[in-house]
């Protein structure tokens, strides 16, 4: 590998600059050079790239979305745009509208009863809106002359990255500075039987075409509570299972206000419990077995969907290991 790196990967600095003074140029090896290369096209990476371009630098953004284990994939913009803040707020908005519709008749509005919610319709609207943001981000990069590559990046050396396209084509990109803005992804508790096989995460919930139905959300993070919150608001049966306290890093008085409010609106809480296994029953439902840590008693429940929202570790870095790029 060392031989490959020496013979095929040019070292920094690149050959003399062009008339523009910028380092963006193609080497005779086909390698492209930039002042700044940003790995990750999420909120952080895009902001960094746009700012640098505005300051006159030649910038490229490399972004690639590894599909979730359920096969969900999305476009440019990272977690916030595709599987975070934006779709979440739209689903909260859908839930809040439902609440207002229920209240409306008490304020004199004549609303046809019963009030029903169509997940399919909401999901389509949310997904179309997110796709419009994906496109908007691409246009903004283009307008600022930031080059966008839909590549999965790995480091070759400290100034060179190897980008691999969906089709497996490899391209070398080099830059004076490389920013790592690869964000994080939800993780499955793979030690729990059936967790990966039958569960989903927040990477999937916003892209479901059909209603998740009766849902068990495992975790006590803000992601867990927010998902359970909008599911309850949309009229679905949502249960949150947590090992200890909700919103651990937050003010606990506020955390209690949040969970009490949710409970008063119908979210069920299983506290001090941890899941042991998930099985699919013959009717397609998921049977979850858990243990109550205080009593050591095992219990089971059936759900249509199990959503894991347990931890939020950084997962981009392993993909950025050192490689040799032909
Ligand atoms: C359900 C949910 C709700 C949230 N709500 C809020 C909220 O209301 N307010 C708020 O402030 N925050 C919220 N967040 C958090 C927010 O979404 C993140 O903090 C933010 O998106 C992180 O941005 P980032 O640029 O660091 O990373 P990301 O947005 O994750 O972007 C990183 C990008 O890099 C790509 N990438 C990773 N490795 C590579 C590689 N090797 N090569 C190429 N590309 C790679 C990833 O696929 C991704 O597209 C929420 C998160 C979730 C999950």
């Amino acid at each position: 590998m060392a031989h490959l790196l020496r013979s095929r990967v040019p070292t920094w600095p690149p050959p003399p600059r062009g008339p523009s003074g910028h380092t963006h140029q193609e080497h005779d090896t086909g390698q492209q050079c930039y002042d700044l290369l940003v790995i990750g096209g999420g909120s952080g990476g895009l902001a960094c790239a746009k700012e640098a371009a505005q300051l006159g630098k030649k910038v490229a953004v490399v972004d690639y979305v590894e599909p979730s284990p359920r096969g969900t994939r999305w476009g440019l913009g990272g977690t916030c745009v595709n599987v975070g803040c934006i779709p979440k707020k739209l689903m909260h908005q859908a839930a809040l509208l439902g609440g207002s519709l229920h209240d409306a008749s008490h304020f004199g509005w004549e609303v046809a009863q019963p009030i029903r919610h169509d997940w399919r319709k909401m999901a389509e609207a949310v997904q179309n809106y997110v796709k419009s943001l994906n496109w908007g981000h691409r246009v903004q990069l283009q307008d600022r002359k930031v080059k966008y590559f839909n590549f999965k990046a790995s480091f070759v050396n400290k100034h060179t990255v190897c980008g691999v396209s969906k089709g497996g084509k490899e391209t070398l990109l080099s830059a004076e500075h490389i920013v790592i803005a690869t964000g994080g992804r939800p993780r499955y508790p793979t030690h729990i039987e059936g967790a990966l096989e039958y569960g989903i995460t927040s990477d999937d919930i916003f892209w479901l075409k059909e209603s998740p139905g009766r849902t068990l959300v495992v975790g006590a993070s803000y992601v867990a509570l927010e998902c359970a919150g909008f599911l309850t608001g949309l009229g679905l049966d949502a249960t949150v299972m947590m090992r200890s306290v909700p919103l651990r890093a937050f003010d606990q008085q506020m955390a209690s206000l949040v969970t009490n409010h949710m409970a008063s609106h119908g979210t069920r809480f299983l506290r001090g419990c941890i899941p042991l296994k998930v099985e699919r029953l013959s009717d397609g439902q998921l049977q979850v077995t858990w243990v109550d840590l205080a009593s050591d008693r095992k219990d089971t429940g059936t759900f249509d969907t199990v959503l894991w929202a347990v931890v939020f570790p950084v997962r981009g870095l392993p993909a950025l290991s050192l490689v040799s790029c032909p």
Side-chain angles (χ1 to χ4, degrees):
M1 179 172 131
H3 161 73
L4 264 176
L5 290 180
R6 265 199 308 278
S7 61
R8 300 194 183 174
V9 180
T11 51
W12 197 264
R17 290 163 181 246
S20 67
H22 292 304
T23 54
H24 174 205
Q25 48 200 275
E26 290 239 355
H27 282 192
D28 50 7
T29 56
Q31 183 184 11
Q32 301 179 35
C33 298
Y34 295 87
D35 294 319
L36 176 72
L37 182 65
V38 180
I39 305 174
S43 318
L46 290 178
C48 172
K50 288 179 200 166
E51 202 63 26
Q54 214 145 326
L55 293 168
K57 297 296 175 188
K58 286 289 176 190
V59 186
V61 171
V62 185
D63 186 66
Y64 179 84
V65 178
E66 200 71 68
S68 77
R70 293 275 79 78
T72 310
R73 55 179 81 225
W74 51 88
L76 182 64
T79 303
C80 181
V81 167
N82 296 282
V83 285
C85 338
I86 304 288
K88 164 198 92 181
K89 281 184 177 119
L90 292 172
M91 292 201 177
H92 279 308
Q93 181 60 18
L96 288 170
L97 282 170
S100 294
L101 277 174
H102 277 107
D103 293 345
S105 58
H106 301 292
F107 290 87
W109 292 102
E110 286 174 17
V111 181
Q113 302 289 339
I115 298 166
R116 291 187 201 284
H117 181 258
D118 183 342
W119 177 281
R120 202 172 241 278
K121 214 167 188 171
M122 173 194 67
E124 197 183 329
V126 169
Q127 291 158 17
N128 283 340
Y129 182 72
V130 168
K131 285 176 191 164
S132 79
L133 296 182
N134 297 148
W135 179 247
H137 280 299
R138 286 184 78 147
V139 171
Q140 282 178 25
L141 291 183
Q142 219 165 10
D143 288 349
R144 288 168 173 78
K145 305 209 170 5
V146 175
K147 186 89 178 126
Y148 160 62
F149 295 102
N150 185 203
F151 290 162
K152 180 171 180 176
S154 306
F155 274 98
V156 174
N157 61 40
K158 68 190 238 193
H159 289 291
T160 313
V161 150
C162 178
V164 182
S165 71
K166 254 185 227 145
K169 188 173 172 271
E170 293 176 326
T171 304
L172 284 179
L173 303 165
S174 70
E176 189 171 2
H177 299 284
I178 299 177
V179 167
I180 302 171
T182 48
R185 296 282 291 270
R187 196 167 65 176
Y188 280 85
T190 45
H191 61 283
I192 297 174
E193 189 188 321
L196 180 62
E197 204 175 346
Y198 303 122
I200 64 166
T201 68
S202 58
D203 277 357
D204 306 295
I205 186 89
F206 306 109
W207 293 90
L208 294 180
K209 300 258 183 271
E210 302 294 340
S211 167
R214 188 164 196 236
T215 303
L216 174 67
V217 179
V218 185
S221 61
Y222 75 88
V223 171
L225 296 190
E226 289 210 55
C227 289
F230 67 68
L231 292 176
T232 303
L234 293 172
L236 298 174
D237 185 319
T239 302
V240 177
M241 182 184 293
M242 59 178 81
R243 176 199 282 268
S244 57
V245 295
L247 302 173
R248 179 182 293 282
F250 292 77
D251 178 278
Q252 281 303 298
Q253 195 181 4
M254 291 304 296
S256 293
L257 286 173
V258 169
T259 48
N260 289 343
H261 178 81
M262 288 176 67
S264 74
H265 281 72
T267 310
R268 284 200 311 138
F269 286 91
L270 291 167
R271 292 168 185 264
C273 296
I274 52 168
L276 299 176
K277 63 177 172 180
V278 184
E279 297 160 293
R280 190 179 290 286
L281 301 177
S282 53
D283 63 0
Q285 286 210 307
L286 300 175
Q287 177 170 285
V288 181
T289 306
W290 65 85
V291 62
D292 182 317
L293 294 170
S295 63
D296 210 24
R297 229 192 69 203
K298 283 187 187 168
D299 212 338
T300 58
T302 52
F303 303 90
D304 299 306
T305 301
V306 176
L307 188 153
W308 303 102
V310 277
V311 273
F312 229 145
V314 172
R315 229 191 66 179
L317 291 176
L320 289 167
S321 55
L322 212 64
V323 294
S324 65
C325 198

